[in-house]
Amino acid sequence: MKLFAAMLSLSLFLLPGVPAWGTLLDDVEAKVLANQEEQIQAVKDIVKIESYNETTPGYSGPYPNPDAGVTEALDFALEKAEEMGFRVVKEPLYGYAEWGPEDAEEMVMVLGHLDTVAPGNPVLWDLGGPFEAKVVERDGEDHIIGRGTFDDKGPILSALYSLKALKDANVLLSRRVRIFFGTTEDYGGWRCVSAYAQKARAGEEEWPVLGFSPDSGSFQPTYIEKTSVNVRAYNKIDNDAADVKLTFLNGGTATNAVSDRCQVALQGPDHQLKAIKQAMQEAAAAEGWDLAALPIKFELNVDAGVLSVDVTGRAAHSGQAWAGVGANNRMMFLLSKAPVNADWQVVAEKLTRLAPPDENPDNMGAALGIQEGGIELDDIVTVNMGFARLESADVEPTIYNHLNIRYPDKGAELITGKSHQSGAEIKAKVEDKFKAARLEANVTGGGYPYTVPLDSEIIVKLQKAYKDATGKEVKPCITHGGTYASAWKNDIGFSMVAWGIDGGIGMHEANESLSIPKMIEGTKVMALAMAYLAPADEAPQPQPDDDARPHKSSSGGCDSLGLGTLALLGAVLVLRRR
Ligand SMILES: [Zn+2]
């Protein structure tokens, strides 16, 4: 760096009339600010285009083709990119804009999407309509209100303006930077990325060498994404042989969510149902559950001979199961306490032993022998019983339970320095436990989750870009799953991480918004990131007659210089871009 400073001042001294260049950050910042009004307008304009896939007319399959509005948003973004002078490609399911030396062998990808979730209940949008792009003050900053402002139209369009700032500042790049506009991220099974990947596998498209996805809601680079082991336990019960029959069991709405409700119906003689109700009430009281906040309702219909039990839980993401309260676990526990001779009671007892109603992070997974980590570093293994159901009640009654287990795998060693279980180990332990309990279960998953080493180029440079642009440090994080970046697993051989941008509120909710000052700051951060990921010091040295020469100003300042000074200038410029 010292050498560079010396050479720069030497060159300025030797070359009167040459513009006094600032740092890369100054150049980029100036261009981002020069374009900011246009950028704000562009984000507003694209937010006004209704682009969600959930209502594609006439489409009945599981995944829709992009809605006409999504395609319109794609056209809008690509048109902007073309106006900026970028190379543009449009396919039915995606499009991209690219800039950087056309003959550069490597490409860096910035992955985002232009489809959004549906606006939801319009009444809840009380700060501005979902497609109005109204600017209001929120938390002391001007925010653009609208669906997609934060997820993900605002961030990915900002990335386009980051690249424009680099182009406007004539920053020399060694790699091409490609901004990818997906069309089926929020709904549509990521078919956009699949379509691209399919082409890349056929050699008709290019894999990036590195990338980031500004679709995660924060500038913390995601370096580990947990993955899952899934247990589908199907256990037949003989209702005919039991005095009290299990006729209904239904809890949970998704495998990856903590169940907030579970309902059961038992049929049998009154005195037994009364005894069951009492045993359940006593068990709940003994556990010290907060029944005022999360009630359990009992309904004993003596005439019909039916006891109904309705357990309330608290929903949370499966990867944060410790933050919720599983209604399903509680229900299985209550069923296990029934003083009866019945298969369902035995199944409930066995399941409760393996997945007790206990959300204490220190105990999570302990019953399965897989407890590990904690919530501070988020290297914790979580266990969630997403479903508890009675299937084929009339023909072949079967209790179905789904367990979703999330783990960070060996990747967690990157932060803790301790050894961690692999997915395969977790899977094997869980299989053994179910086998030992004589419960029928199909255990799947156990793969190696998305992990990027902390000292890898992508993590180091993204952190540096953030620090240089904002003066603040940012720590990489672990997430419990599902970022767009993981659409391309790093087993393909490149590192793509979820990263950027700060300053949004309410992804997928009413009043979704993006702070304008944070958006502009984010544009700077991303521009620096692109410059660092495609560093000029790896670029060929500019030649005197090279059109790609950096800072070839419109006033022709560089063109009138002699050959020798140009060579020196080239060296200086290459150095100062480090
Ligand atoms: Zn998104």
Side-chain angles (χ1 to χ4, degrees):
M1 275 321 265
K2 269 181 192 153
L3 174 68
F4 131 67
M7 288 185 80
L8 181 61
S9 49
L10 177 70
S11 71
L12 290 174
F13 178 71
L14 289 174
L15 307 168
V18 171
W21 301 291
T23 63
L24 176 62
L25 174 60
D26 290 339
D27 292 358
V28 164
E29 190 160 40
K31 296 302 177 188
V32 168
L33 294 179
N35 295 330
Q36 67 172 335
E37 288 312 318
E38 188 197 318
Q39 179 184 347
I40 294 163
Q41 192 54 51
V43 171
K44 284 186 187 169
D45 289 345
I46 204 165
V47 166
K48 285 178 188 166
I49 302 170
E50 297 190 26
S51 61
Y52 49 96
N53 289 319
E54 284 153 75
T55 55
T56 307
Y59 193 84
S60 58
Y63 301 125
N65 289 313
D67 182 78
V70 180
T71 305
E72 196 186 327
L74 177 61
D75 288 338
F76 177 93
L78 294 177
E79 231 164 78
K80 283 275 165 213
E82 235 171 353
E83 280 167 24
M84 294 173 182
F86 299 147
R87 297 180 290 276
V88 157
V89 167
K90 189 190 168 191
E91 292 283 333
L93 283 161
Y94 62 85
Y96 58 78
E98 189 180 270
W99 187 68
E102 224 166 323
D103 56 353
E105 272 178 28
E106 296 182 330
M107 178 263 289
V108 171
M109 183 170 282
V110 180
L111 175 70
H113 62 94
L114 295 172
D115 62 305
T116 68
V117 296
N121 186 349
V123 176
L124 299 174
W125 288 82
D126 52 5
L127 295 178
F131 306 109
E132 222 182 306
K134 204 169 142 187
V135 174
V136 302
E137 204 191 299
R138 209 174 183 187
D139 298 345
E141 284 174 349
D142 275 350
H143 276 244
I144 306 172
I145 307 283
R147 178 58 81 227
T149 47
F150 190 30
D151 179 19
D152 183 44
K153 289 171 165 179
I156 195 61
L157 214 64
S158 295
L160 190 65
Y161 278 87
S162 301
L163 193 57
K164 177 169 163 55
L166 294 187
K167 182 172 183 286
D168 290 354
N170 290 321
V171 173
L172 184 67
L173 299 180
S174 60
R175 289 165 170 162
R176 286 165 288 117
V177 177
R178 183 173 290 186
I179 316 267
F180 181 99
F181 301 104
T183 58
T184 45
E185 197 277 342
D186 272 315
Y187 195 76
W190 296 358
R191 286 176 61 222
C192 43
V193 176
S194 308
Y196 185 96
Q198 206 176 341
K199 280 198 158 206
R201 280 191 202 99
E204 294 158 13
E205 254 309 347
E206 189 184 347
W207 295 115
V209 289
L210 292 169
F212 65 86
S213 176
D215 184 36
S216 72
S218 138
F219 272 118
Q220 278 194 292
T222 302
Y223 75 109
I224 295 175
E225 244 181 74
K226 291 182 184 180
T227 192
S228 296
V229 163
N230 286 294
V231 183
R232 288 170 190 82
Y234 287 96
N235 287 280
K236 282 181 202 147
I237 56 167
D238 186 351
N239 258 337
D240 293 336
D243 291 341
V244 178
K245 303 172 200 328
L246 177 74
T247 55
F248 182 80
L249 167 66
N250 188 26
T253 53
T255 58
N256 66 357
V258 176
S259 52
D260 60 0
R261 189 175 190 189
C262 188
Q263 295 165 284
V264 120
L266 298 168
Q267 215 165 17
D270 308 345
H271 68 281
Q272 279 190 297
L273 294 181
K274 276 181 194 158
I276 291 171
K277 181 183 164 188
Q278 195 187 339
M280 285 181 169
Q281 280 172 326
E282 284 169 9
E287 288 297 299
W289 294 345
D290 180 359
L291 298 177
L294 301 171
I296 300 173
K297 277 190 243 160
F298 293 91
E299 224 177 272
L300 183 59
N301 185 332
V302 182
D303 294 335
V306 173
L307 171 67
S308 308
V309 187
D310 189 345
V311 174
T312 311
R314 188 168 60 234
H317 192 282
S318 193
Q320 291 178 315
W322 43 267
V325 174
N328 292 344
N329 305 68
R330 288 192 165 188
M331 184 63 90
M332 298 314 288
F333 170 82
L334 294 177
L335 290 174
S336 79
K337 296 296 177 187
V340 290
N341 263 329
D343 285 355
W344 53 262
Q345 186 275 337
V346 175
V347 170
E349 198 173 78
K350 289 176 177 179
L351 274 163
T352 298
R353 248 183 275 141
L354 299 181
D358 184 354
E359 281 79 27
N360 183 339
D362 295 337
N363 302 338
M364 194 144 276
L368 290 165
I370 55 171
Q371 195 283 330
E372 148 180 320
I375 56 177
E376 301 75 28
L377 295 173
D378 203 7
D379 58 336
I380 189 169
V381 173
T382 56
V383 179
N384 173 48
M385 190 190 289
F387 286 128
R389 288 178 179 168
L390 180 68
E391 298 195 341
S392 317
D394 299 327
V395 198
E396 197 171 48
T398 304
I399 296 179
Y400 163 52
N401 300 83
H402 186 283
L403 294 190
N404 177 243
I405 298 163
R406 301 228 171 189
Y407 59 91
D409 204 285
K410 299 281 182 195
E413 292 170 13
L414 297 172
I415 46 164
T416 62
K418 288 182 280 180
S419 77
H420 285 258
Q421 310 164 87
S422 70
E425 286 164 348
I426 289 175
K427 185 174 175 235
K429 284 182 190 171
V430 171
E431 268 170 338
D432 285 351
K433 287 281 181 186
F434 273 82
K435 211 174 274 174
R438 292 171 185 268
L439 282 170
E440 290 295 326
N442 176 24
V443 186
T444 57
Y448 188 71
Y450 179 88
T451 306
V452 181
L454 279 173
D455 59 356
S456 62
E457 180 183 359
I458 184 81
I459 298 287
V460 170
K461 287 184 172 171
L462 294 184
Q463 281 180 287
K464 180 171 161 48
Y466 185 78
K467 171 118 202 257
D468 290 352
T470 67
K472 291 176 276 185
E473 301 278 354
V474 66
K475 272 193 189 151
C477 66
I478 301 181
T479 180
H480 43 68
T483 74
Y484 199 23
S486 71
W488 287 333
K489 298 281 185 205
N490 53 357
D491 53 12
I492 292 168
F494 64 89
S495 298
M496 168 83 72
V497 301
W499 183 77
I501 67 180
D502 295 332
I505 299 174
M507 255 186 206
H508 297 199
E509 293 168 12
N511 291 330
E512 176 181 348
S513 72
L514 180 60
S515 147
I516 292 176
K518 290 275 167 44
M519 177 176 89
I520 299 303
E521 183 181 67
T523 307
K524 279 183 235 166
V525 179
M526 286 193 285
L528 278 196
M530 291 171 194
Y532 292 167
L533 291 171
D537 53 9
E538 288 164 23
Q541 297 265 330
Q543 298 302 305
D545 55 351
D546 185 355
D547 271 344
R549 189 170 53 232
H551 279 262
K552 184 171 182 277
S553 72
S554 50
S555 61
C558 291
D559 295 328
S560 57
L561 300 172
L563 213 79
T565 34
L566 267 173
L568 171 64
L569 185 56
V572 168
L573 283 167
V574 164
L575 278 164
R576 66 174 280 268
R577 295 300 182 204
R578 267 175 211 268

